Amino acid sequence: MTDQIVAFTYLSIVASVAGLATILVRSPVHSALSLVVVVFHVAGMFVLLGNGFLAAVQVIVYAGAIVVLFLFTMMLLDLRRHETERTVHRRQIWLAIPIAVLLFAEVAWIAISKPETSENLKGAFPPQTIDELGGSAQALATVMFTDYLLPFEVASVLLLAAAIGAMVLARNPDEESLASPPDMIEDAAGTDESSEQSERELSETPATHG
Amino acid sequence: MVDGWDVLILVIKALAIFIIVPLAPLVFVLAERKILGRIQSRIGPNRVGPWGLLQTLADGIKLGAKEDFIPPAGDRVVFWLAPLFMVVPAAMAWAVIPIGPEVEIGRKIGLWVTDLNVAILYILALGSVAVYGPVMAGWSSNSKYALFGSLRSTAQVISYEITMGVAVLGVLVYTGSFSLVDIVEKQKDMWFAVPQILGLFVFFVSGIAETNRAPFDLPEAETEIVAGYHVEYSGMRFAMFFLAEYANMFLVSALAVILFFGGWHGWTIPGIEGLTSVLWFMLKTLALMFVYFWLRATLPRLRYDQLMAFCWKFLLPLGIVNLLITAVLRLGWS
C-alpha cells in the first residue's frame, strides 16, 4: 500500500506542477510540452488504478495525436513572436473562479465524506470483477458494446460527420480540376518546353547576331 | 510468492535490454553498409579492423569526440531533451517483446520482461511518443531545414500510425488478446502471415514509414532539406538519433515477427528447445532487417504528396478491407 501512496504522491505532484506550467508558461511550445507531461502522469494514475488499457489509450490519443497536432499548428504559424504578450481574458476570470471553486469543493466533499460513500464510488467494476472479465480492455468492451452501444454509435457518427466536414471545408473549390497534384508527366512536359524554348533562343541568338 | 530470485531475474532481464538495445545498432550499421556495398557492387567499409568490423566503433569514437553544438538562437532545454524522446521509447518497448517461450532453468522463466495484457497498445503508445523526438528537435534548432523536417515527420508518423494500428487490428481479431505472448502461442500451427497477408503488407510498409527509412525518409531527405530535423545536431546527440533509428528498425522487425511470422516457433532440437526458439526468433528478425536494407538500396525516395496519398488513399483502405475480411472469416468460424 505504501508504494502505491508514494507513486500517487509523485504522480499528482508532477501532474499538478506541469498543469500549472501549461497555463503559466509564456512560450506556447513549452506550454504544449508541459501538457504532455500532465498526460503521462495521468496515464500513470490509470496504471496505478490497475487499468493499463485506459493508460495506453490516454497516451495514444492525447500525447500521440492531440498535442502533436497542437505543436504542428504552432510550428506552422510560428507563434514565437507572441511569447512576450501576456493576454488576460477579463470576462473569463469571472466565470473561471466560481467554476474552479465549485470543482474544488466537490472533490473536497468526496474526499472528506463518509467512508461508506467512497465505497459506493467504486462503481460496478471493482478490480475483482475486471479480473473475472479477463482484463480492463474486456471489461470496458463488455459495457461499451452492450449497455452503452447507442451512445457509442452516436459518438462515432458524430466523429465521422466532423471528419467529412473538415475534408469538405479544407477542399479548395477552385482546385476541383486539380484533384490529383500535378504529376511527373506534366512536370517533365513543362521542363521539356522550357528547354526547347531555351534551345530556340540559343539557336536564334547567333542568327540575330549574323 | 516473490522471492529474491525473481527480483534478480527481473533485474537481469532489464539490464539485458539496456545493454543489447544500444549495442545492436553497432552491428546493424556495419551490416547495412556492407550489404549496401554488395548491392551497389562495391566493397563497403574494410579499413578499420579485419573485414571492417571495427568501423562503427571508430565512428562512435569520432562522434563522441566531436563538439556538442547547440544553436545559440534555439531552445536549449528542448534541444537537449529531443534525442532522449527518440531513444527511450525504443528501449522501453522491448520490455514486452517475448524473444522465446517459457524455459525451465531451475524454475520457469519466461523469455520476456513482462507479459503485459495490453502489450500491443503499450507499443503503439510508445510509438506515438517517439514522434516528439523529431518535433522537438526541429523546433528547438531554430533552423528552417530542421523545421521542414519535423513538419514532414509529424504528418508522416501520425498518418502511418493509423495504418499500422489498422493492420494490427486484423491480428487482434484473430487472437482476441492484446498480449504478445498469447499472439505468438496462437501461431503454433500457422503463421498469421498466411491469412493476414494484406495486414502484413500494410504493417511492414507503415513500419518503414514510422521509422523514417528509405523510401519514406522524407523527414531527413538530404537532397532537399540537408538532413531534416537533426541537421543542427552533432556529436553524441546526433549519434543518439542514429542509434534510435536502428533500434526502431530492430523493434519493428521483431514486432512483425511476433505478429505475423510465428515469433519463436520453428523446428526445434529436443533438449535445447529454449535456445533454438530464441535462435529462430533472431533469425526471422534479422531476415526482416535485411529486407529493410534491401529496400533502401533498391527504391528511390518518394515525393512528399505521393507519400501522403499512398497512406490515405491506398494503404488505409487496404487495411480496412483486410480488417473486414478478417472479421467476416472470424465470424464464419465461430
Side-chain angles (χ1 to χ4, degrees):
Chain A
M1 202 61 201
T2 45
D3 51 343
Q4 282 192 355
I5 290 170
V6 170
F8 179 74
T9 314
Y10 159 75
L11 290 170
S12 42
I13 289 175
V14 176
S16 313
V17 171
L20 281 175
T22 307
I23 53 172
L24 294 178
V25 161
R26 295 281 181 94
S27 155
V29 171
H30 288 171
S31 174
L33 292 175
S34 312
L35 189 57
V36 177
V37 177
V38 177
V39 166
F40 268 98
H41 286 79
V42 173
M45 286 190 191
F46 283 131
V47 173
L48 207 58
L49 289 169
N51 200 325
F53 179 78
L54 274 188
V57 169
Q58 164 96 0
V59 172
I60 292 173
V61 172
Y62 286 96
I66 293 177
V67 183
V68 169
L69 283 180
F70 286 170
L71 283 172
F72 189 73
T73 320
M74 283 173 202
M75 290 196 297
L76 271 179
L77 297 177
D78 189 20
L79 291 173
R80 233 175 249 211
R81 55 208 139 95
H82 298 297
E83 276 176 27
T84 45
E85 297 168 21
R86 171 157 261 176
T87 48
V88 178
H89 303 283
R90 291 194 177 279
R91 281 184 206 157
Q92 280 185 8
I93 283 183
W94 296 112
L95 199 61
I97 290 173
I99 290 177
V101 169
L102 191 68
L103 279 174
F104 188 77
E106 281 177 10
V107 174
W109 180 72
I110 292 168
I112 59 172
S113 60
K114 291 172 195 165
E116 52 263 35
T117 326
S118 47
E119 280 297 314
N120 288 340
L121 288 173
K122 281 184 178 168
F125 285 88
Q128 309 87 275
T129 321
I130 290 175
D131 282 342
E132 278 166 27
L133 285 166
S136 49
Q138 282 82 350
L140 193 73
T142 312
V143 181
M144 193 185 270
F145 294 114
T146 53
D147 296 352
Y148 296 98
L149 183 62
L150 187 65
F152 176 77
E153 289 297 332
V154 169
S156 56
V157 169
L158 195 68
L159 285 175
L160 184 66
I164 293 172
M167 268 188 267
V168 170
L169 288 176
R171 203 186 176 94
N172 190 346
D174 299 338
E175 289 177 12
E176 287 286 280
S177 54
L178 284 173
S180 61
D183 53 16
M184 293 303 270
I185 303 162
E186 283 174 51
D187 279 358
T191 45
D192 276 351
E193 219 169 4
S194 57
S195 59
E196 267 175 32
Q197 220 167 12
S198 52
E199 270 172 25
R200 215 175 300 137
E201 276 165 20
L202 276 177
S203 58
E204 277 168 11
T205 335
T208 46
H209 273 289
Chain B
M1 205 166 73
V2 176
D3 61 7
W5 283 106
D6 286 329
V7 176
L8 184 70
I9 289 165
L10 200 64
V11 168
I12 290 171
K13 285 173 178 173
L15 274 180
I17 287 177
F18 276 90
I19 292 166
I20 292 168
V21 171
L23 282 185
L26 288 182
V27 183
F28 294 142
V29 172
L30 182 74
E32 171 162 40
R33 294 177 68 176
K34 278 282 180 191
I35 290 166
L36 284 183
R38 294 294 297 183
I39 292 176
Q40 295 165 352
S41 301
R42 17 179 211 99
I43 296 166
N46 68 340
R47 293 287 122 178
V48 190
W51 204 65
L53 278 175
L54 299 175
Q55 180 64 46
T56 333
L57 206 62
D59 288 343
I61 293 168
K62 184 200 79 173
L63 285 170
K66 271 189 167 180
E67 185 196 352
D68 180 18
F69 176 75
I70 297 179
D75 189 315
R76 290 185 74 89
V77 179
V78 179
F79 190 84
W80 186 82
L81 278 173
L84 297 179
F85 269 77
M86 297 286 286
V87 177
V88 172
M92 277 174 75
W94 278 89
V96 296
I97 299 281
I99 63 163
E102 217 167 32
V103 291
E104 198 144 355
I105 314 169
R107 58 175 63 211
K108 281 197 184 256
I109 301 171
L111 292 178
W112 51 79
V113 175
T114 173
D115 178 18
L116 209 61
N117 65 359
V118 290
I120 278 282
L121 290 172
Y122 171 80
I123 286 178
L124 288 179
L126 288 174
S128 62
V129 171
V131 69
Y132 283 97
V135 170
M136 289 163 74
W139 179 78
S140 63
S141 300
N142 197 32
S143 143
K144 60 184 164 198
Y145 294 118
L147 195 64
F148 276 131
S150 58
L151 282 175
R152 285 180 175 193
S153 170
T154 317
Q156 176 175 331
V157 173
I158 290 183
S159 308
Y160 279 89
E161 228 165 54
I162 295 170
T163 51
M164 188 179 241
V166 170
V168 170
L169 277 179
V171 174
L172 294 184
V173 167
Y174 261 96
T175 51
S177 170
F178 287 121
S179 156
L180 294 179
V181 178
D182 284 357
I183 289 172
V184 174
E185 287 295 349
K186 292 230 166 86
Q187 295 180 73
K188 204 159 190 166
D189 302 319
M190 181 174 60
W191 292 359
F192 286 150
V194 180
Q196 287 288 309
I197 184 80
L198 290 177
L200 171 64
F201 174 75
V202 174
F203 180 86
F204 200 68
V205 172
S206 313
I208 297 169
E210 284 262 291
T211 47
N212 292 334
R213 288 284 301 182
F216 300 124
D217 57 345
L218 282 123
E220 45 192 280
E222 56 276 84
T223 45
E224 303 161 29
I225 50 172
V226 199
Y229 58 86
H230 54 56
V231 64
E232 297 291 341
Y233 281 83
S234 60
M236 277 323 277
R237 278 186 224 292
F238 171 74
M240 281 168 85
F241 279 110
F242 209 65
L243 191 144
E245 180 178 327
Y246 283 84
N248 278 325
M249 274 161 66
F250 192 30
L251 178 67
V252 172
S253 303
L255 206 54
V257 167
I258 286 166
L259 293 175
F260 297 102
F261 293 107
W264 63 75
H265 289 306
W267 303 285
T268 51
I269 302 163
I272 47 166
E273 282 96 349
L275 187 67
T276 43
S277 301
V278 174
L279 284 178
W280 269 115
F281 179 78
M282 291 318 292
L283 193 69
K284 292 172 187 173
T285 310
L286 293 180
L288 284 182
M289 290 290 286
F290 176 75
V291 176
Y292 259 108
F293 302 151
W294 187 13
L295 287 174
R296 177 174 171 192
T298 321
L299 296 176
R301 184 179 296 134
L302 292 174
R303 217 172 58 223
Y304 193 68
D305 58 290
Q306 293 172 330
L307 175 90
M308 295 310 266
F310 181 70
C311 175
W312 290 101
K313 294 181 179 169
F314 177 71
L315 221 49
L316 186 61
L318 192 69
I320 291 173
V321 165
N322 173 56
L323 185 61
L324 208 67
I325 294 172
T326 313
V328 168
L329 286 179
R330 177 71 204 234
L331 275 178
W333 272 341
S334 60

